[in-house]
Amino acid sequence: MIKPIYVHGSGSISIQPTFEPGYCFDSILSFAQNPVPAYEPDYKALIPAMQLRRMNKSMRMAIFASRLALQQADRTAVDAIITGSGLGCLKDSERFVEALLAEEGQSLNPTPFIQSTHNMAAAAIALVLKCKGYNMTYVNNANSFESALLDGMVYLTEHPNDTMLLGGVDEAGERTTQFWDIAGYLKREVPTIPTPLEGAATPGEIAAEGATFFVVSGQPGARTYGKVTAVETSLETDDTVVLLSRFLQKNGLDADAIDAVFMGFNGDSRYDGIYRNLGHSLFPATLQLGFKHLLGEYDTVVASALAIALQLLNEQRIPSSLRLNDVEPKELKRILIYTQRRGKNHGLILVEQ
């Protein structure tokens, strides 16, 4: 039986200043563009300048976020690294393909190709930390982080004394977002962060990027911030109410046992109705929270939602910018995170104190 995993530290880079100490969405950065680049820290504070010169954006974000998580957990090393990434080091992938076309396959610089693979971020973290243990990257579209989380739970069930870094990272590429725009994925009418929801929603999403990492283990400790007790994914489903009801039932819970539910409202009028239906059907008396309207949409943004949920469980304070309704829970002990992207890749994460 898969056991819960305990989170001892987290670090996050997103389009909001989530890497700043104590930040909890009381002040929000606004944007009027699509895609939205990450709000980046001074990487030199945690990464030597000579190393930075050789890193692409995904690697920088992943290493910085993982170092923040290690600092918070008061650790310097881990036994394993598991990462989720929907698109990998996208800009280097685009750069290599463009060079391939321009040079007709001749005299190519191999560096963008070497650094374009999805597992490059996890490999870079391993090199920096000198971690020679288990290293895995999951590439399952918008379920990439949940897949990494599931593998982490399996690994720590089998290795209960180990500690690992577990996270998700995705960057926005210029060419790819142009293709998404042509395909009709992106919002064209007033693409703003915070993104209007409910009646003001319009078709399309706002693409973004970020990296969030956690130090986790199979045992609680002095610096434990919370635990992940269950994770589930589904590529497609005919009825999300049934999906969530079965998930809760499998874990011995009902809707009333959930103190708050994070849902991935992103302002896309074509798919936000999925969340709205769940809110009305299962969670009308439960605190409902959002995160994509502030962080944008990318394949592993749910990792940021997990970091926020852990922060709320510890601080017992709910910023108004995250609220989707006015329900006041007596106490935050158990939070459910549910997200999907474009009607597919449904993911569920159960987080507890």
Side-chain angles (χ1 to χ4, degrees), residues 196-202 267 269 272 276:
L197 304 177
E198 296 292 339
T202 56
S269 58
D272 275 1
R276 201 166 291 115

Short mmCIF file of all heavy atoms in Angstrom, two decimals, residues 196-202 267 269 272 276:
data_model
loop_
_atom_site.label_atom_id
_atom_site.label_comp_id
_atom_site.label_asym_id
_atom_site.label_seq_id
_atom_site.Cartn_x
_atom_site.Cartn_y
_atom_site.Cartn_z
N PRO A 196 -10.12 37.49 -15.41
CA PRO A 196 -11.54 37.50 -15.02
C PRO A 196 -12.16 36.11 -15.12
O PRO A 196 -11.89 35.37 -16.07
CB PRO A 196 -12.17 38.46 -16.04
CG PRO A 196 -11.05 39.28 -16.56
CD PRO A 196 -9.85 38.38 -16.54
N LEU A 197 -12.95 35.75 -14.12
CA LEU A 197 -13.63 34.47 -14.11
C LEU A 197 -15.14 34.68 -14.16
O LEU A 197 -15.61 35.79 -14.32
CB LEU A 197 -13.24 33.69 -12.84
CG LEU A 197 -11.74 33.48 -12.61
CD1 LEU A 197 -11.50 32.77 -11.28
CD2 LEU A 197 -11.12 32.68 -13.75
N GLU A 198 -15.87 33.59 -14.03
CA GLU A 198 -17.34 33.63 -14.05
C GLU A 198 -17.86 34.32 -15.31
O GLU A 198 -17.42 34.02 -16.40
CB GLU A 198 -17.87 34.30 -12.77
CG GLU A 198 -17.55 33.54 -11.50
CD GLU A 198 -18.29 32.22 -11.39
OE1 GLU A 198 -19.33 32.04 -12.06
OE2 GLU A 198 -17.83 31.36 -10.63
N GLY A 199 -18.73 35.31 -15.17
CA GLY A 199 -19.40 35.91 -16.31
C GLY A 199 -18.48 36.65 -17.26
O GLY A 199 -18.79 36.81 -18.44
N ALA A 200 -17.32 37.12 -16.78
CA ALA A 200 -16.41 37.89 -17.61
C ALA A 200 -15.41 37.01 -18.37
O ALA A 200 -14.57 37.52 -19.10
CB ALA A 200 -15.64 38.89 -16.75
N ALA A 201 -15.50 35.69 -18.21
CA ALA A 201 -14.56 34.79 -18.87
C ALA A 201 -14.74 34.80 -20.38
O ALA A 201 -15.85 35.01 -20.89
CB ALA A 201 -14.73 33.38 -18.33
N THR A 202 -13.64 34.58 -21.11
CA THR A 202 -13.66 34.52 -22.57
C THR A 202 -12.91 33.27 -23.00
O THR A 202 -12.18 32.66 -22.20
CB THR A 202 -12.98 35.76 -23.17
OG1 THR A 202 -11.64 35.88 -22.65
CG2 THR A 202 -13.75 37.03 -22.84
N GLY A 267 -10.10 31.12 -16.58
CA GLY A 267 -10.76 32.14 -17.39
C GLY A 267 -11.12 31.70 -18.79
O GLY A 267 -11.59 32.50 -19.59
N SER A 269 -13.60 30.22 -20.99
CA SER A 269 -15.04 29.99 -20.88
C SER A 269 -15.46 28.63 -21.43
O SER A 269 -16.56 28.16 -21.15
CB SER A 269 -15.80 31.11 -21.60
OG SER A 269 -15.42 31.19 -22.96
N ASP A 272 -14.08 26.22 -18.00
CA ASP A 272 -14.28 26.57 -16.59
C ASP A 272 -15.59 26.04 -16.04
O ASP A 272 -15.76 25.91 -14.83
CB ASP A 272 -14.20 28.09 -16.40
CG ASP A 272 -12.76 28.57 -16.22
OD1 ASP A 272 -11.85 27.73 -16.26
OD2 ASP A 272 -12.56 29.79 -16.05
N ARG A 276 -17.11 24.83 -12.28
CA ARG A 276 -18.32 25.45 -11.75
C ARG A 276 -19.35 24.38 -11.39
O ARG A 276 -20.02 24.45 -10.35
CB ARG A 276 -18.87 26.43 -12.78
CG ARG A 276 -19.79 27.49 -12.22
CD ARG A 276 -20.00 28.62 -13.21
NE ARG A 276 -18.78 29.39 -13.40
CZ ARG A 276 -18.10 29.45 -14.55
NH1 ARG A 276 -18.54 28.79 -15.60
NH2 ARG A 276 -17.01 30.18 -14.63
#
